[in-house]
Amino acid sequence: MMKLMTKEIEKKIPPMDSVDSDNPKIAVKFFDPFSSWTWYVIEGEKQENDWLFFGYVKGFENELGYFRLNELQSVGRIERDLYFEGNLKDVK
């Protein structure tokens, strides 16, 4: 199973409430290869044994919101896009 969070990625994620842009850079992209669900991390913070992220979620609806690393890991098949680079307007 792919490791979703690495030390390198942790360094790329801006702290919560620090991004002030209408077109922020996406720090990391997670996706479910067996569905159309995709999570784009804009900012986040480590909380005990988990990460709380804020970003753009494409699922049943497409919306900005909060999600947790533990939730993604519990699905068991979520992957990280190793090559994605982009901004919010690129994925909307």
Side-chain angles (χ1 to χ4, degrees):
M1 183 164 78
M2 171 181 274
K3 188 169 184 175
L4 296 182
M5 183 61 73
T6 65
K7 294 290 183 193
E8 185 178 304
I9 294 170
E10 287 183 21
K11 293 176 189 172
K12 287 176 46 176
I13 299 174
M16 282 294 198
D17 300 321
S18 68
V19 176
D20 186 22
S21 170
D22 63 343
N23 188 28
K25 181 171 176 35
I26 303 297
V28 63
K29 172 188 172 184
F30 300 112
F31 66 97
D32 182 342
F34 301 104
S35 76
S36 60
W37 282 78
T38 307
W39 298 262
Y40 299 92
V41 176
I42 296 171
E43 54 189 18
E45 68 183 23
K46 193 166 189 170
Q47 296 183 333
E48 297 181 20
N49 296 324
D50 197 5
W51 273 83
L52 175 64
F53 299 123
F54 179 77
Y56 191 65
V57 180
K58 286 187 171 184
F60 295 124
E61 307 257 339
N62 298 337
E63 60 189 351
L64 289 167
Y66 294 92
F67 52 97
R68 295 188 170 276
L69 180 62
N70 282 347
E71 292 171 337
L72 298 178
Q73 290 173 326
S74 71
V75 175
R77 63 181 189 229
I78 304 303
E79 296 184 17
R80 177 172 38 90
D81 188 327
L82 302 175
Y83 307 104
F84 178 83
E85 291 186 17
N87 292 38
L88 183 59
K89 288 184 180 176
D90 299 330
V91 300
K92 277 189 158 183

